[in-house]
Amino acid sequence: MNRIKVLIVTCLVALAAIAQEKADIEVSYNYKHFHRTGKEQNHQLVLLANPIESKFYSPETEYVDSLEYTPEGKEIYNQMSLAAFTSGNLKAVPSRAFPMYILKSKTKGTTEVYDGNIAMMFTYKEPYEAQDWTVSDSTKTILGYDCAMATCEYRGRKWTAWFAVDIPIQDGPWKLSGLPGLILEASESAGQHGFTATGIQTTRRQITPVLGKDHYEKTDRISMLKALRKFEDNPEAGLSAALGAKVTVRGGIKIDKTLDFLETDYK
């Protein structure tokens, strides 16, 4: 704990006004949520962060994007897919099961988002915005760190977060940030979404840009969420439109319309 604190304080003093390209910490999170079919899903995600920049993403998605970024990588990925299909072990092929990237920059004052599904990929920028948190007296220990509790309302959901006061990086999973310590756990009141840190370490890894940016359609936040919601409400129609041919799923797809995205203020 002391090693992390000393490293971060040193960076804050020396680089307070200079955008960094390297992270100071790497945090692993489990993201638990529910698919619109009602099935629980868990994704292993990573936050690379320093005091002024961060990147939140799925390493598996980034691996697929890195392969498809070059002709040689595409060939490797095609061979992997063929081998998995031949063996009947499709789970062996890495996928974009969690396609989202979140890049926060306090220097630029922006949050850059990449997201989508198997049929549509979008990107948009918005002003960087820390949530308006209320800190309480409640405490608990996460990964050996003393954490304090804070709550906020943000874009349609009520969030409870636990942040480590000994790690003075004002960041966290997804778009959550702005507390006087790193957010190690966060969940919203409906129980549909939750992030829990599973590991933390110091690092000097680069906070790299998203590969294949040309594959994403530029849009705005509300338009993206409306388009993705329309697809999820009727995935057969969405797939049919994307593929240019009618797609029918045997037995249909049952959708739980009480489940929704991380942000619900688009309606």
Side-chain angles (χ1 to χ4, degrees), residues 54-130:
S54 68
K55 178 180 178 181
F56 184 65
Y57 66 102
S58 161
E60 184 176 8
T61 294
E62 186 171 65
Y63 176 55
V64 174
D65 288 344
S66 69
L67 287 176
E68 295 195 336
Y69 190 66
T70 65
E72 296 80 10
K74 288 181 180 178
E75 179 61 26
I76 292 172
Y77 188 67
N78 289 337
Q79 291 177 5
M80 292 170 61
S81 300
L82 179 60
F85 181 79
T86 302
S87 66
N89 185 18
L90 296 180
K91 292 183 178 180
V93 183
S95 68
R96 294 187 181 90
F98 184 85
M100 180 189 293
Y101 293 88
I102 303 288
L103 291 88
K104 308 187 196 89
S105 174
K106 295 178 183 177
T107 302
K108 299 176 183 177
T110 60
T111 296
E112 193 171 352
V113 178
Y114 296 82
D115 203 358
N117 57 31
I118 59 175
M120 302 176 286
M121 302 294 286
F122 298 104
T123 182
Y124 66 88
K125 286 184 180 181
E126 61 182 357
Y128 168 76
E129 177 185 17

Side-chain angles (χ1 to χ4, degrees), residues 8-264:
I8 294 171
V9 169
T10 301
C11 291
L12 281 168
V13 173
L15 301 168
I18 303 175
Q20 301 180 69
E21 295 183 355
K22 292 184 179 180
D24 294 330
I25 58 172
E26 178 178 339
V27 191
S28 302
Y29 291 91
N30 179 70
Y31 170 41
K32 175 183 174 181
H33 71 110
F34 292 88
H35 188 265
R36 295 292 302 286
T37 58
K39 182 180 179 181
E40 179 182 316
Q41 295 189 334
N42 289 272
H43 299 286
Q44 307 311 307
L45 309 177
V46 165
L47 174 71
L48 294 175
N50 60 45
I52 52 180
E53 294 182 359
S54 68
K55 178 180 178 181
F56 184 65
Y57 66 102
S58 161
E60 184 176 8
T61 294
E62 186 171 65
Y63 176 55
V64 174
D65 288 344
S66 69
L67 287 176
E68 295 195 336
Y69 190 66
T70 65
E72 296 80 10
K74 288 181 180 178
E75 179 61 26
I76 292 172
Y77 188 67
N78 289 337
Q79 291 177 5
M80 292 170 61
S81 300
L82 179 60
F85 181 79
T86 302
S87 66
N89 185 18
L90 296 180
K91 292 183 178 180
V93 183
S95 68
R96 294 187 181 90
F98 184 85
M100 180 189 293
Y101 293 88
I102 303 288
L103 291 88
K104 308 187 196 89
S105 174
K106 295 178 183 177
T107 302
K108 299 176 183 177
T110 60
T111 296
E112 193 171 352
V113 178
Y114 296 82
D115 203 358
N117 57 31
I118 59 175
M120 302 176 286
M121 302 294 286
F122 298 104
T123 182
Y124 66 88
K125 286 184 180 181
E126 61 182 357
Y128 168 76
E129 177 185 17
Q131 292 73 39
D132 184 13
W133 296 98
T134 299
V135 179
S136 76
D137 294 330
S138 299
T139 62
K140 72 175 179 177
T141 302
I142 301 173
L143 296 179
Y145 293 93
D146 294 331
C147 294
M149 189 181 85
T151 58
C152 76
E153 293 189 14
Y154 183 63
R155 295 181 175 173
R157 292 194 181 275
K158 296 180 180 180
W159 286 91
T160 297
W162 297 87
F163 64 97
V165 295
D166 286 332
I167 309 178
I169 284 186
Q170 298 183 11
D171 214 318
W174 183 52
K175 295 181 180 180
L176 302 177
S177 64
L179 284 164
L182 182 70
I183 298 172
L184 295 183
E185 186 175 305
S187 59
E188 49 79 31
S189 59
Q192 297 178 10
H193 302 271
F195 302 94
T196 303
T198 58
I200 181 170
Q201 62 183 359
T202 57
T203 186
R204 296 303 294 162
R205 288 181 59 190
Q206 287 190 331
I207 301 177
T208 56
V210 175
L211 297 173
K213 291 185 177 182
D214 294 341
H215 297 158
Y216 295 83
E217 177 185 346
K218 291 184 178 180
T219 186
D220 59 84
R221 182 179 70 91
I222 298 298
S223 296
M224 184 195 79
L225 292 173
K226 286 183 176 180
L228 294 178
R229 177 63 188 249
K230 182 179 180 180
F231 179 94
E232 291 202 3
D233 282 345
N234 192 345
E236 290 179 332
L239 287 171
S240 297
L243 298 174
K246 184 174 178 56
V247 174
T248 302
V249 178
R250 183 178 297 177
I253 301 176
K254 296 180 180 180
I255 299 297
D256 184 348
K257 294 190 176 182
T258 66
L259 299 174
D260 209 341
F261 302 131
L262 284 158
E263 297 163 300
T264 65

